[in-house]
Amino acid sequence: MTISVPQSVAPVFGTASLPTHDATGVQLLMCQCSGHGFAIRTDHLAGVYQLTPKQVELGVDRLETPQGDLPIVSLAELLSTQLNISMAVDPEDRSLLAIQVGDERVALRTGQVSRPLVVPESSFISLPAVAHPTDETKIFSSVAIVDRKAESAIDALRLVFDPAIALGLKTRDVATVKEPATVKEPATEKASLAVQPTSEANAGNASHLLIFMPEDSVDLAADFVFALPLATVAEVATSHDVFPVCMASDVLEGYVYWRGRAVPVVRLGRSFGMADQQGFDTLNGDAIRSARRLVVTHTVGGQPVAFYAETSMQSVRIPIADSVAPDSLNNRPVLGAFQTEMGTLVVPDLDSILTGNATIKA
């Protein structure tokens, strides 16, 4: 039963104990919510409080603080509503974040909260459009590297959001996030099977293609295979831990922490309509995951991106090819399709996948 009697709660730490903003970084708190790890900007944080077990048992929904009487809002319920997903409220969540914008104040209830930390601006990576299928207000702005020494993406990365935006106390237009602009190379209008190597180390790969099928491709009737210029492939690695995104994205699986970088992992088969949810879940059982092959490459615009592929891939010399446009690839993210003696080779448009624009380029 929920009661509305204000309850006084001692602060865990208040604004006086928060470090001042570093000129070269952004101040964050990390918290747990429904099994997910988030990082929260502290621009409008007035203090952090802790409910007692008795107050949790009583189901108090208001909090009396030196800043005034604050309504308590569950972060799990807030995200479930705004992102149209299901996040269970942990009854053990006892931390309260006092958020204040002007005269408006709200206490956001969440799980365990860390001490403040300052993260360099270079550690923030803007989320691609494909990560926001249900996040109309763009609650989550970026993913941040919060521990560069960590080996696992689960430990190194956090989704970042401004609680004032999540609560509707301000809009993204007036957010003060300072994220570095991504410098992109000019995108080519057509795919070319003859690309220049990206470094001297892979100069020998300039005349080769990587031929593969996505791990999540369950459509056995596909009449083509995928290809990427081998010179554009940074690495084919074994399985990495994937840091998931909590939004309901069919295409973005999450992020891997690869060589000190947060790299988005896309479901390539899903992007081409070659996998359903049941097939994908079956494909990614524990036995399959142990043998996964992570392909790390980049878009034409220079954005790092990765995907999981079947282990039966091969490197071949670039064949003589004619450009084709089969009907089966209509409205699919294709950079180019080519008819060869090996069959139809399809170069995926990874830029379009990340931006959510799945239209074949002319």
Side-chain angles (χ1 to χ4, degrees):
M1 178 178 178
T2 300
I3 60 175
S4 298
V5 179
Q7 298 289 320
S8 180
V9 180
V12 176
F13 52 86
T15 54
S17 66
L18 298 178
T20 56
H21 283 271
D22 191 306
T24 61
V26 177
Q27 185 173 275
L28 302 173
L29 293 179
M30 291 189 291
C31 73
Q32 296 292 322
C33 177
S34 191
H36 293 272
F38 301 122
I40 299 176
R41 290 180 56 88
T42 62
D43 302 70
H44 300 284
L45 183 66
V48 179
Y49 300 83
Q50 191 84 359
L51 290 170
T52 67
K54 183 64 175 179
Q55 289 167 330
V56 172
E57 181 182 347
L58 290 173
V60 297
D61 63 0
R62 304 195 70 83
L63 171 68
E64 185 180 296
T65 74
Q67 290 78 35
D69 184 20
L70 282 66
I72 297 175
V73 175
S74 164
L75 177 58
E77 291 180 350
L78 181 67
L79 294 180
S80 294
T81 300
Q82 297 208 18
L83 301 180
N84 193 27
I85 59 177
S86 178
M87 297 186 71
V89 178
D90 188 339
E92 298 300 317
D93 285 352
R94 295 171 50 200
S95 297
L96 298 176
L97 307 177
I99 308 301
Q100 181 172 356
V101 178
D103 294 331
E104 296 185 89
R105 294 180 290 267
V106 177
L108 198 59
R109 179 182 171 186
T110 184
Q112 185 176 2
V113 175
S114 74
R115 302 293 296 182
L117 72 157
V118 175
V119 177
E121 291 183 7
S122 60
S123 295
F124 290 80
I125 300 91
S126 297
L127 289 173
V130 73
H132 296 281
T134 59
D135 186 8
E136 295 181 358
T137 58
K138 301 297 184 287
I139 294 174
F140 292 98
S141 60
S142 57
V143 61
I145 302 172
V146 297
D147 185 355
R148 289 194 173 273
K149 295 181 180 180
E151 296 182 359
S152 167
I154 304 300
D155 298 324
L157 308 178
R158 289 293 184 272
L159 279 173
V160 181
F161 75 98
D162 186 331
I165 292 174
L167 290 164
L169 303 181
K170 72 174 188 179
T171 64
R172 176 64 59 193
D173 293 337
V174 295
T176 57
V177 180
K178 293 181 179 180
E179 295 170 357
T182 302
V183 178
K184 294 186 177 182
E185 303 168 2
T188 58
E189 289 300 316
K190 293 183 179 181
S192 172
L193 293 183
V195 267
Q196 296 300 318
T198 55
S199 68
E200 293 182 4
N202 63 8
N205 296 330
S207 61
H208 284 73
L209 297 175
L210 179 68
I211 307 296
F212 64 92
M213 287 297 286
E215 180 194 58
D216 62 330
S217 58
V218 297
D219 186 354
L220 300 180
D223 55 358
F224 60 87
V225 293
F226 289 88
L228 284 175
L230 195 56
T232 68
V233 176
E235 184 176 354
V236 177
T238 54
S239 180
H240 279 55
D241 288 334
V242 177
F243 178 79
V245 292
C246 62
M247 286 80 79
S249 174
D250 287 337
V251 175
L252 185 68
E253 182 172 352
Y255 280 79
V256 291
Y257 188 50
W258 175 80
R259 297 187 181 182
R261 305 183 72 176
V263 178
V265 179
V266 297
R267 294 168 175 149
L268 199 53
R270 183 67 60 82
S271 302
F272 279 76
M274 301 171 66
D276 56 29
Q277 187 62 52
Q278 182 177 359
F280 182 77
D281 289 343
T282 302
L283 204 70
N284 284 313
D286 293 338
I288 299 297
R289 283 184 179 276
S290 63
R292 303 176 88 185
R293 291 294 180 267
L294 179 74
V295 179
V296 183
T297 181
H298 60 77
T299 68
V300 173
Q303 166 72 43
V305 62
F307 56 85
Y308 279 104
E310 292 181 354
T311 56
S312 56
M313 59 182 68
Q314 59 180 318
S315 170
V316 301
R317 282 191 172 276
I318 295 177
I320 298 174
D322 295 320
S323 180
V324 295
D327 293 341
S328 60
L329 294 176
N330 285 342
N331 298 319
R332 299 302 181 192
V334 175
L335 198 60
F338 304 87
Q339 190 63 44
T340 74
E341 60 184 10
M342 296 181 295
T344 303
L345 305 182
V346 172
V347 181
D349 186 347
L350 299 172
D351 270 309
S352 289
I353 292 174
L354 290 178
T355 60
N357 178 18
T359 302
I360 297 178
K361 294 184 180 296

